Structures are given as structure tokens and as C-alpha cells.
Amino acid sequence: MKKQNPLKLEQQICFPIYSVSRLITKAYKPHLEKMGLTYPQYLVLLVLWEHIELSVNQIGEKLMLNTNTLSPLIKRMEKTGLLQRNRSEKDERTVMVSLTEKGLSYQSEAMPIPEKLLHSLLSEEVQLTEVMLLKDTLDKWITILSKKPENQSNNL
Amino acid sequence: MKKQNPLKLEQQICFPIYSVSRLITKAYKPHLEKMGLTYPQYLVLLVLWEHIELSVNQIGEKLMLNTNTLSPLIKRMEKTGLLQRNRSEKDERTVMVSLTEKGLSYQSEAMPIPEKLLHSLLSEEVQLTEVMLLKDTLDKWITILSKKPENQSNNL
DNA sequence: CACATTTGCATCGCACACGATTTAATTTTG
DNA sequence: CAAAATTAAATCGTGTGCGATGCAAATGTG
């Protein structure tokens, strides 16, 4: 009933999450590279399709990424013409990011991707309810895991 | 009942997995860096604690990583004295990897980590059964997702 | 209002991931 | 057995993640 050896790879919860995360990124790849996108770039587009304009920090909050990751990523996206960066007039420190026509236009092409991938996953083995349940569980975990970053001594 | 906009970040299953994966890695970090380990290095140790000796490819199969990721990673671990690399005598192409005394000795120190992190996650909100269920689901997904790598047109 | 602190972004360094290519050793085939 | 094909690692280039640091603008404080 109890775990015999907590260090056995098969018994760890961390490894499946790590692997599935990479496998899903890999599944997105063929669809995204038609648009010249990487998976994190696609995530940035997702939030910008929902918001006309966001600062680098605001994008970072939504994706839980810091500027040290986002700054170069956004600059690469600017270089490929997906978005534009503008210093805020109110606060010169802030860089506001907004999509170009090209970035906006990719929305229609990207729209069917998640559904398509979900469909190819669904089968007798995997029901939609299971996917929804998984998502609910993970969302809850995100809340818990991102809550205690300062409690270094005992956090997960 | 149905998804209204499949491109909404909150409705995507991919993003929670991606985020939880990174959050878990972050949770491991303070424990692992006491030993000077990164998370992928810890994974390599996990499989080598279960097997006296493995080739680079065999480690890659278990962790689903290719040699272009593993070769430098393993070399870094060799440099820090965790393991040794030896060309196989039977097949000069194969590099056999085995732990040093130091690499073996880290097992006892690493043993309590997964349990400790699991414990800090468990609460009224998160029951052990939920964790087990999540793991079962993810394991099933790994099987499905890693099955059709050549079917590029329609895979997830 | 001067000065210390905070904030937003960028940069640097390091360690993955991973597609693509290279090199060397082994196996297959004619 | 020699040439072709396959295989195991390594290498290269690009793009993340992320801790640490730097810098300039904004804010707080006396």
C-alpha cells in the first residue's frame, strides 16, 4: 500500500509531469512551426489575443515567467514581426507589447490546433471528463505551488 | 458546457502541465542544490541508482531524452565526480555510465526529498488519492503520446 | 528637494531540450 | 569480403528557463 522506495523513477510524480509537458510541446511543434512559432512564443500570442496591450511584467504574471526569459523571447517575436514594443509614456520603465497585423492574423490559423490535438488524444482510454479533471487538479496545484515561494525551508 | 474559445489560456490543458512541471522543478531546487544537482541530473541519478551500469542510450530511453541532451549533461556529471564514462569493450561505440562512490552516496541524502515535497503538498485540498490518480493519468498519457512520433500529421 | 529605495526591464552566465549533422564503429548485403 | 546501411555518441545552433546583476526611471522619506 505504501511506497517502498520513494526514489524509484516509476513511483515519482515529478517525472510523469516533466515528461508529459515535453511530449505536449513536441505535439504542438509540427503545427506551430508552420507559423514559425515556438511553444513559449505561442503562449505569448495566447495572452495577447486576449488583451490589446500588456506590459512585459503583465505577460510574465499570466505565464509565470520572469523578464529574464520574456525580454529576449519578446524581442525575437518583434524581429519576426509578430508584435511591437513601445515604451510607456506614463512610465518610461514600462515596455508595452501589442500585436501587429501579422500577430493578430495568426489567431485564425492557431484556433483549430488545441481542439485538433485534444481530439487526437481522446479515445476509449482517455475521456474528455478525464482531461477536464486533470486540468482542474493541475490548476489547483498551480495555486498551491505558486503560493509559497518565500517559504524556502519546506516548500514544494 | 462546450469550450467557447479554444485559444483562451485558461481553457488550455497544455499550459497547466507546462506550469506545474516548472513549479515542481522549482520546488526540488533548494533540496537539490544542496547536493549541487540540477533536476535533470537528479533524474539521471534516479535511473542509475536502479541500475549498476547503463549506456547513454539506455538512460535516454528511460528518461525519454536524446543523446544531444544527455551527452553534455552526463559529461558535466562526470566532471563533478558523480559518475564515470567508459567505452564498452564489446562495442566501441557504446559509452557505459556508472556511478562513483560519491554518486552512490547521494542516494541516502536524496531519499527523503520526494516524500518531503509530497507531504508539503498534501492537505485538505490535495489528497493522496488525487496524487495517485494524477500519476496514473499522466502515465497513460505518456504511453499514448510517445507512441506515435512518426505520425507527424495528426499527433499529439 | 536631495537621497535612498523600489520597480521594470535588460543583460549575463549556465544548463537544459531538441532538430540537424558529424564521426566512428558495427552490421547488413550483394 | 567490400561497399552500403545502420547505430551510438558527440557536436552544433537556436531557443528557452532562471538566478544574479545592472541600469534607469519612478517613488518614498526626511
Side-chain angles (χ1 to χ4, degrees):
Chain A
M1 218 58 160
K2 288 271 177 74
K3 298 188 176 193
Q4 295 198 319
N5 179 358
L7 287 180
K8 278 231 166 192
L9 186 66
E10 294 84 31
Q11 295 177 354
Q12 301 231 359
I13 180 67
C14 57
F15 179 64
I17 295 177
Y18 164 78
S19 297
V20 168
S21 176
R22 285 170 40 229
L23 286 168
I24 288 184
T25 304
K26 195 173 287 186
Y28 266 90
K29 190 150 208 172
H31 300 279
L32 293 179
E33 67 188 8
K34 288 176 192 167
M35 294 181 268
L37 292 173
T38 65
Y39 182 70
Q41 290 175 8
Y42 164 75
L43 292 179
V44 171
L45 286 187
L46 281 182
V47 301
L48 286 172
W49 284 328
E50 291 183 52
H51 304 275
I52 298 156
E53 193 177 51
L54 287 174
S55 71
V56 176
N57 259 344
Q58 287 172 323
I59 297 173
E61 281 170 26
K62 291 177 192 302
L63 300 181
M64 297 193 278
L65 290 168
N66 288 330
T67 55
N68 51 7
T69 299
L70 277 179
S71 281
L73 198 162
I74 289 173
K75 280 195 170 179
R76 278 189 288 273
M77 293 178 75
E78 186 185 35
K79 198 171 282 180
T80 56
L82 291 165
L83 49 79
Q84 48 220 332
R85 293 158 64 255
N86 294 107
R87 289 272 161 192
S88 166
E89 292 170 9
K90 295 176 195 165
D91 189 337
E92 280 288 327
R93 294 169 303 178
T94 311
V95 171
M96 298 307 293
V97 182
S98 55
L99 292 178
T100 58
E101 279 301 319
K102 180 178 173 184
L104 283 168
S105 71
Y106 277 20
Q107 188 169 13
S108 54
E109 196 173 345
M111 189 77 77
I113 299 176
E115 298 263 34
K116 194 188 287 185
L117 293 179
L118 181 64
H119 249 81
S120 75
L121 180 68
L122 294 178
S123 61
E124 286 179 23
E125 279 180 300
V126 181
Q127 304 286 319
L128 183 59
T129 50
E130 183 181 272
V131 180
M132 307 293 253
L133 184 66
L134 178 69
K135 187 178 151 10
D136 289 344
T137 303
L138 292 173
D139 284 341
K140 191 169 64 180
W141 283 39
I142 289 173
T143 309
I144 297 170
L145 288 170
S146 58
K147 196 161 280 178
K148 34 182 172 176
E150 48 279 336
N151 183 11
Q152 292 285 1
S153 59
N154 203 25
N155 69 333
L156 172 114
Chain B
M1 217 61 160
K2 286 270 178 73
K3 298 190 179 191
Q4 294 198 317
N5 179 358
L7 287 180
K8 278 230 166 192
L9 186 66
E10 295 82 31
Q11 296 177 355
Q12 301 233 0
I13 181 68
C14 57
F15 179 63
I17 295 177
Y18 164 78
S19 298
V20 169
S21 176
R22 283 170 39 229
L23 286 167
I24 289 185
T25 304
K26 194 174 289 187
Y28 266 89
K29 190 150 209 173
H31 300 279
L32 293 179
E33 67 189 8
K34 286 177 193 166
M35 292 180 269
L37 291 174
T38 65
Y39 182 70
Q41 289 176 10
Y42 164 74
L43 291 179
V44 170
L45 286 188
L46 281 182
V47 301
L48 285 172
W49 285 328
E50 292 183 52
H51 304 274
I52 299 156
E53 192 178 50
L54 288 174
S55 71
V56 175
N57 261 344
Q58 286 172 323
I59 296 173
E61 280 170 28
K62 290 179 191 305
L63 300 181
M64 298 193 277
L65 290 168
N66 287 331
T67 55
N68 51 8
T69 299
L70 277 178
S71 282
L73 199 161
I74 289 172
K75 279 193 172 179
R76 279 189 290 272
M77 294 178 73
E78 186 185 37
K79 198 172 282 181
T80 55
L82 292 164
L83 49 77
Q84 50 220 332
R85 294 159 61 255
N86 293 106
R87 289 273 164 191
S88 166
E89 291 172 9
K90 294 177 193 164
D91 188 336
E92 281 287 326
R93 295 169 302 178
T94 310
V95 171
M96 298 307 293
V97 182
S98 56
L99 291 178
T100 59
E101 280 300 318
K102 180 179 174 184
L104 282 168
S105 71
Y106 276 21
Q107 188 170 12
S108 55
E109 195 173 346
M111 189 78 77
I113 298 176
E115 298 261 35
K116 193 188 286 184
L117 294 178
L118 180 65
H119 249 79
S120 76
L121 181 68
L122 293 179
S123 61
E124 287 178 23
E125 280 181 299
V126 180
Q127 304 286 321
L128 184 58
T129 49
E130 183 181 272
V131 180
M132 307 293 254
L133 184 64
L134 179 69
K135 187 178 152 10
D136 289 345
T137 303
L138 291 172
D139 283 341
K140 192 168 63 179
W141 284 38
I142 289 173
T143 308
I144 297 170
L145 288 169
S146 59
K147 196 161 279 179
K148 31 183 173 178
E150 49 279 335
N151 185 11
Q152 293 284 1
S153 59
N154 204 27
N155 70 331
L156 172 114

